[in-house]
Amino acid sequence: MSSIKYALLSLLAREPLSGYDMKQYMNGRVSFFYKINNNQLYPTLAKLEAEGLVQLESHERESYRPARKVYSITDKGIDFLKAWVMEAEEPRSLDDFMLKQYNSWLVEPEAMIGILREKRKEHEERLKIYRGKIAGFREQQAVYPSRDPLFSSIAVIEMGIRNEESYMEWCDRVIEALSRDEI
Amino acid sequence: MSSIKYALLSLLAREPLSGYDMKQYMNGRVSFFYKINNNQLYPTLAKLEAEGLVQLESHERESYRPARKVYSITDKGIDFLKAWVMEAEEPRSLDDFMLKQYNSWLVEPEAMIGILREKRKEHEERLKIYRGKIAGFREQQAVYPSRDPLFSSIAVIEMGIRNEESYMEWCDRVIEALSRDEI
DNA sequence: GCTTGCATGTAAGCCGTTACATGATTTT
DNA sequence: AAAATCATGTAACGGCTTACATGCAAGC
């Protein structure tokens, strides 16, 4: 159920890479969605190959180094990735959703627009809940001093509100770009 | 190293609760920071009790039901939680950081302001990196069609930008509230 | 009569993290 | 002389998820 296999496929959908390359991408400072370690990486790659989702493209030894194994994604792998991107099942985290979005280019724009409209709706709902919560606090008391637990509660909910708002704005922006068919 | 113990302490810092209560809070729809399951919950509570960070406040059996065990936080527990909130070590995720913020009311406002200024700076840095990345793409080509991998890359980075911006705004807002000493 | 809620807990298994292992070259 | 880089992989451990277990009462 882990998303790591999808992360690897997402990279390979763009260009053939070795395990080492993928690790560099994923653990680079400009945070990719998931960090990976060797123990996840190499067994997962082997599994993906066994399932026919990726294939070994070259296996060349540069003098002294261990042979560099470059993988590419197969057609089956592309289909598998596409199906995951489009499936209705709730992604578990923002990173999970964004990893799917990273593959939006694989999918028909109309389908993507549908997914994004759904998402937008969800975040609108949550925004309402958060706004309601703060309003409830404010009804009891206009302001809370910084050593009151409710100070912290309000601060945290306000972060939630900002997140939901920017998420919605982003959905609008991408829906619009998909409608124009360019970003 | 998990944050679950801190999540439990965060709840108990506000009011005494049973394990069952905490689970309701944490798994409720208005997402708390972490979801929890019984296998994490009960052993962790037992550990916290053994470490003297929480104590059993009541243990009453309501007729047929298993005895409801209500815990409260100890002074040692408060100190432990406070130390965690203030420690410099990088929180691993937004949820982790927000869980700390949920306990900001325990900490001296001046200390909190320092932490938030640091955070703001970090996010400013990342914002610059993201903006630079998009500018780099745009230099090569003004717009990308929706079936181009770079369409998705740009979309994802734009989400990053929005997130960093709202994070920074939020820091400013809370720093200001702490300076006024009310929210 | 079946499901849901209250309330505690345990067992098995998967997933992820940290550390270890190899080994030559290049950089400090 | 020591550390970092390239490049693959394995071992051990800990955390988290899913499922199971108990048991009564109230609602459908």
Side-chain angles (χ1 to χ4, degrees):
Chain A
M1 288 298 118
S2 155
S3 296
I4 284 164
K5 58 194 306 191
Y6 300 108
L8 298 180
L9 288 172
S10 301
L11 291 173
L12 292 178
R14 295 171 173 230
E15 54 178 328
L17 293 167
S18 72
Y20 188 86
D21 294 334
M22 293 183 232
K23 201 184 168 191
Q24 298 309 105
Y25 268 95
M26 294 175 78
N27 296 355
R29 90 182 59 174
V30 189
S31 69
F32 192 72
F33 310 94
Y34 302 95
K35 307 234 174 274
I36 201 168
N37 53 44
N38 293 350
N39 205 336
Q40 285 295 117
L41 178 58
Y42 292 107
T44 303
L45 264 177
K47 247 178 256 168
L48 288 173
E49 198 190 2
E51 291 167 23
L53 302 176
V54 308
Q55 67 197 8
L56 199 54
E57 209 188 61
S58 74
H59 193 184
E60 276 156 38
R61 145 168 255 112
E62 195 197 308
S63 67
Y64 60 92
R65 285 185 205 152
R68 186 180 146 81
K69 294 165 83 172
V70 176
Y71 293 90
S72 60
I73 196 166
T74 62
D75 290 348
K76 197 178 159 190
I78 293 279
D79 290 343
F80 184 76
L81 185 56
K82 230 172 118 173
W84 177 69
V85 173
M86 286 191 292
E87 89 187 0
E89 203 189 313
E90 206 31 26
R92 318 214 147 197
S93 65
L94 179 60
D95 279 346
D96 219 29
F97 180 71
M98 282 298 147
L99 180 55
K100 286 191 176 192
Q101 289 303 311
Y102 188 67
N103 293 294
S104 63
W105 64 283
L106 291 173
V107 172
E108 291 66 32
E110 301 75 34
M112 218 56 240
I113 288 174
I115 291 170
L116 291 171
R117 277 208 238 274
E118 263 311 300
K119 266 289 145 191
R120 208 210 115 105
K121 217 178 283 176
E122 278 171 40
H123 288 281
E124 214 171 345
E125 287 306 313
R126 278 217 229 142
L127 183 57
K128 269 184 207 158
I129 294 172
Y130 290 156
R131 285 209 216 275
K133 274 222 152 183
I134 286 194
F137 291 141
R138 293 294 190 204
E139 246 168 63
Q140 290 168 51
Q141 196 177 314
V143 293
Y144 293 92
S146 70
R147 307 307 293 271
D148 187 310
L150 285 174
F151 178 98
S152 305
S153 294
I154 290 175
V156 167
I157 295 170
E158 290 209 340
M159 185 70 220
I161 288 175
R162 280 180 164 75
N163 275 339
E164 300 303 333
E165 282 173 346
S166 60
Y167 212 141
M168 284 167 63
E169 276 171 38
W170 179 85
C171 285
D172 289 339
R173 158 102 174 93
V174 178
I175 288 169
E176 198 232 13
L178 286 168
S179 307
R180 281 188 285 111
D181 212 13
E182 60 185 33
I183 201 163
Chain B
M1 286 297 118
S2 155
S3 295
I4 284 163
K5 58 195 306 190
Y6 300 109
L8 298 180
L9 288 173
S10 301
L11 291 173
L12 292 178
R14 294 170 174 231
E15 56 179 326
L17 293 168
S18 71
Y20 188 86
D21 294 334
M22 293 183 231
K23 202 185 167 188
Q24 299 309 105
Y25 268 94
M26 294 175 77
N27 295 355
R29 89 184 59 173
V30 189
S31 68
F32 192 71
F33 311 93
Y34 301 95
K35 309 235 172 273
I36 201 169
N37 52 45
N38 293 349
N39 206 334
Q40 285 295 118
L41 177 56
Y42 292 107
T44 303
L45 264 176
K47 247 178 257 170
L48 288 174
E49 197 188 4
E51 290 166 23
L53 302 175
V54 308
Q55 66 196 9
L56 199 55
E57 207 186 63
S58 74
H59 193 185
E60 276 156 39
R61 143 170 255 112
E62 194 197 310
S63 68
Y64 61 91
R65 284 184 206 154
R68 187 180 146 82
K69 295 165 84 170
V70 175
Y71 293 90
S72 61
I73 196 165
T74 62
D75 290 347
K76 197 178 160 192
I78 293 279
D79 289 343
F80 184 76
L81 185 56
K82 229 172 118 172
W84 176 69
V85 172
M86 286 192 293
E87 90 188 0
E89 203 189 312
E90 205 34 25
R92 317 214 148 199
S93 64
L94 179 60
D95 280 347
D96 219 28
F97 180 71
M98 282 298 146
L99 180 57
K100 287 191 176 191
Q101 289 304 310
Y102 188 68
N103 294 295
S104 64
W105 65 283
L106 292 172
V107 172
E108 291 66 31
E110 302 74 34
M112 216 58 238
I113 288 173
I115 292 171
L116 290 171
R117 278 208 236 274
E118 264 311 302
K119 266 288 145 190
R120 207 209 114 106
K121 216 177 283 176
E122 280 171 38
H123 288 280
E124 213 171 347
E125 287 306 313
R126 278 216 229 144
L127 183 58
K128 269 183 206 160
I129 294 172
Y130 290 157
R131 285 209 217 275
K133 273 221 153 189
I134 286 194
F137 290 143
R138 294 294 190 204
E139 245 168 64
Q140 289 169 50
Q141 195 178 316
V143 292
Y144 293 90
S146 71
R147 307 306 293 272
D148 188 312
L150 286 173
F151 178 98
S152 305
S153 295
I154 290 175
V156 166
I157 295 170
E158 290 208 341
M159 185 71 221
I161 288 176
R162 282 180 163 75
N163 275 338
E164 300 304 331
E165 283 173 345
S166 60
Y167 211 140
M168 283 167 63
E169 276 171 39
W170 178 86
C171 286
D172 290 338
R173 158 104 174 92
V174 177
I175 289 169
E176 198 233 14
L178 286 167
S179 307
R180 280 189 285 112
D181 212 14
E182 60 185 32
I183 202 164

